[in-house]
Amino acid sequence: MACTAEGVAAAVRAAAAVVAEHRAELIDLDRAIGDGDHGENMNRGFAAVVAALDAAPPDTPGGVLKLVATTLISKVGGAAGPLYGTAFLRASAKLGPAAELDVPALLDALRAGLEGVQARGKAVGGDATMVDALIPAVAAAEKTAGDGGDVAAVLTAAADAADTGAQSTVDLIPRKGRASYLGERAVGHLDPGARSSALLLRAFAEAAR
Ligand code: ADP
Ligand code: MG
């Protein structure tokens, strides 16, 4: 199954709903090792994305992701806005003007999103950031696509791996972002951005089913 612009927009709306549901959880996670704004940042950003989709729905999957990117970059403060914004912008550039998103395009978009986060934030695996959710997510997506999985299966594998990867940040010493100021005192805490990345991928996977 390939996804049209409408399908991708529905997935983004589902992600906005999940972010709203988990706003308080993300705030609590960020309060423990950061400044407590991650849930509010993400919720404000995705609410603005939904408003932008309502106002002018794009007619390609790439157009939808570009709207997500530009909205997050302009509405979300902190580290996460520019990082997610760059991820969606690079993903949208990969999709180009294609009318449908198929498995190869999805893999390109996921890889480009991760590359965007790493180009912008310079985090590597093990730094206890969203990258620790995204690296295993992309690897799992590639494997499932190689096994012949469809868009929903690929996204479900990515979401499963992102959950496990996010959980791994609990045992890591943060080396990037605000949590790095705490050093070893941050050990024992789940990284909020890794959690939000896993939530977004889960929402996309559920929407694709
Ligand atoms: P801020 O830290 O500016 O308050 P947020 O609270 O919105 O921004 O986002 C924090 C999250 O951003 C962290 O949990 C982490 O996952 C992610 N993050 C911060 N810095 C980086 C970085 N350099 N590379 C990748 N992710 C990062
Ligand atoms: Mg914060």
Side-chain angles (χ1 to χ4, degrees), residues 39-115:
E40 186 54 37
N41 285 343
M42 294 294 288
N43 190 43
R44 185 171 2 94
F46 274 89
V49 166
V50 169
L53 285 174
D54 287 342
D59 56 8
T60 61
V64 172
L65 296 192
K66 186 165 185 194
L67 187 65
V68 174
T70 53
T71 308
L72 292 182
I73 289 169
S74 66
K75 298 285 180 195
V76 184
L83 288 166
Y84 279 126
T86 304
F88 282 103
L89 200 58
R90 297 254 185 134
S92 79
K94 274 287 173 200
L95 298 185
E100 296 206 335
L101 182 143
D102 56 11
V103 167
L106 173 61
L107 284 185
D108 280 347
L110 289 169
R111 287 192 199 106
L114 169 61
E115 279 164 23

Side-chain angles (χ1 to χ4, degrees), residues 114 117-125 127-131 135 176:
L114 169 61
V117 170
Q118 293 197 278
R120 175 104 203 175
K122 312 285 179 227
V124 297
D127 284 347
T129 70
M130 60 177 71
V131 167
I135 287 177
K176 284 282 184 293

